[in-house]
Amino acid sequence: MQSSPTVLFADPFAALLQAIDDDVVQLQGVPFAGDLTFDRDIRVRLQGGYDCAYNATAGGAVLTGKLTVTKGTLRLDGVRLR
């Protein structure tokens, strides 16, 4: 199985724009503010709560804003919405 190289983004919104089908976007356990619209015909998982080195999870990430999914599948794991 070939693995993809790690790519770092400033926020989950930028990462989702670059995601491909079945990607896992790992989020640090910090709050992220802003509205998010997911409208791509792919499946992506947001997995939150990672420490700064992305070695372990503790708690979760918080998305503050409106989340809209109009196309595709967006799975949240360890991510809270406010």
Side-chain angles (χ1 to χ4, degrees):
M1 178 174 155
Q2 182 179 6
S3 64
S4 300
T6 300
V7 179
L8 300 177
F9 294 91
D11 59 57
F13 318 108
L16 285 175
L17 290 175
Q18 299 297 316
I20 60 173
D21 199 28
D22 291 324
D23 264 355
V24 175
V25 175
Q26 297 175 327
L27 305 176
Q28 289 184 341
V30 299
F32 296 96
D35 294 339
L36 173 62
T37 299
F38 186 74
D39 63 353
R40 300 180 58 210
D41 196 19
I42 60 174
R43 294 179 307 262
V44 176
R45 182 172 64 169
L46 287 180
Q47 191 171 38
Y50 284 88
D51 63 15
C52 62
Y54 292 94
N55 291 326
T57 58
V62 177
L63 297 177
T64 303
K66 182 179 175 184
L67 173 64
T68 305
V69 178
T70 59
K71 202 184 318 181
T73 302
L74 184 62
R75 180 178 162 197
L76 304 180
D77 181 13
V79 177
R80 292 180 291 151
L81 301 174
R82 276 199 192 146

